[in-house]
Amino acid sequence: DAKTTQPPSMDCAEGRAANLPCNHSTISGNEYVYWYRQIHSQGPQYIIHGLKNNETNEMASLIITEDRKSSTLILPHATLRDTAVYYCIVRHNTGGFKTIFGAGTRLFVKA
Amino acid sequence: GAVVSQHPSRVICKSGTSVKIECRSLDFQATTMFWYRQFPKQSLMLMATSNEGSKATYEQGVEKDKFLINHASLTLSTLTVTSAHPEDSSFYICSARDYTGTKTNYGYTFGSGTRLTVV
């Protein structure tokens, strides 16, 4: 699976949009981009995933560049409860493919 | 949606004893489950892939005789830490795939984790 690069930490003001970048320049054509987050002492929580089109759900939006070498997770109105470590992962979507975690981005949402 | 239950959430054991952690898929069948370990302020590290009815596949550097994995049914995988030592203290997390292929996330659901402390 392709590797990802994320900034180690970011700050965001409560109520503002949080934009979390991820580089995945070695992504292959059939690998998806997944985002998970982990709140302290809990298991990872799925946020969103996509292949090449932008995606939106009730939690976030995912913007994938046209060349698919990078993506941005957008939390439109960050709250204090969004403080967590956010992991960007690229992975095949079939069979028993493993989910390999990088270091992630620690997002601090401040009041 | 798919739910993965992990038990216990916390356990403290004495050095030299064994501890079993259970991972259950509550509303789906999981032929494949994954076990991770996470040390403080670090990312999740994949330990092994648990396959129903067959032997687990361990990642490089993970001792299979120390971390015994049993996946005897489509809804249950167990991880037993044998002869635990303080350095085995960690946060253990399981993950399972719902092969009914729910659109939400293609079924990679994580348990809530088990905090193991070996004293």
Side-chain angles (χ1 to χ4, degrees):
Chain A
D1 290 322
K3 293 181 66 175
T4 61
T5 304
Q6 299 176 252
S9 67
M10 294 182 64
D11 289 346
C12 177
E14 188 179 22
R16 304 297 292 269
N19 298 293
L20 291 87
C22 179
N23 286 322
H24 32 78
S25 59
T26 61
I27 190 170
S28 65
N30 54 359
E31 285 184 310
Y32 286 70
V33 179
Y34 278 78
W35 283 83
Y36 290 86
R37 73 179 182 184
Q38 186 180 27
I39 297 170
H40 182 64
S41 294
Q42 296 182 25
Q45 175 192 20
Y46 165 83
I47 301 173
I48 199 167
H49 77 283
L51 183 61
K52 51 185 175 182
N53 296 321
N54 297 338
E55 301 286 346
T56 296
N57 63 21
E58 65 278 5
M59 290 182 67
S61 294
L62 173 61
I63 308 299
I64 303 174
T65 58
E66 192 169 343
D67 63 7
R68 303 207 324 122
K69 292 185 176 183
S70 65
S71 61
T72 301
L73 177 73
I74 301 173
L75 306 179
H77 305 286
T79 71
L80 298 179
R81 288 176 293 181
D82 291 323
T83 293
V85 179
Y86 287 76
Y87 296 100
C88 167
I89 293 159
V90 291
R91 183 181 66 201
H92 295 276
N93 206 29
T94 57
F97 282 96
K98 313 169 191 177
T99 302
I100 304 298
F101 287 82
T105 295
R106 191 171 294 273
L107 175 68
F108 296 95
V109 181
K110 300 181 177 181
Chain B
V3 176
V4 172
S5 174
Q6 208 173 320
H7 179 80
S9 58
R10 293 178 177 271
V11 59
I12 300 173
C13 72
K14 292 185 177 180
S15 187
T17 62
S18 296
V19 173
K20 180 184 287 187
I21 302 169
E22 292 186 348
C23 179
R24 293 182 185 274
S25 56
L26 296 187
D27 49 0
F28 66 98
Q29 294 182 330
T31 57
T32 304
M33 293 185 176
F34 303 90
W35 287 96
Y36 295 82
R37 180 169 54 180
Q38 185 177 33
F39 293 108
K41 298 192 183 301
Q42 294 186 22
S43 186
L44 286 77
M45 184 190 76
L46 181 65
M47 298 175 66
T49 302
S50 170
N51 302 297
E52 187 267 336
S54 64
K55 291 183 179 181
T57 304
Y58 291 82
E59 295 299 304
Q60 190 173 8
V62 178
E63 300 175 61
K64 61 181 180 181
D65 294 331
K66 181 167 187 61
F67 299 100
L68 300 180
I69 293 173
N70 184 283
H71 194 155
S73 79
L74 287 172
T75 58
L76 174 65
S77 175
T78 61
L79 169 67
T80 301
V81 183
T82 63
S83 187
H85 291 284
E87 56 266 30
D88 298 323
S89 297
S90 188
F91 192 52
Y92 292 87
I93 305 168
C94 68
S95 172
R97 174 162 187 180
D98 176 6
Y99 274 89
T100 63
T102 57
K103 177 63 172 72
T104 305
N105 64 350
Y106 289 93
Y108 287 93
T109 304
F110 289 81
S112 55
T114 297
R115 175 80 54 196
L116 170 64
T117 303
V118 184
V119 297

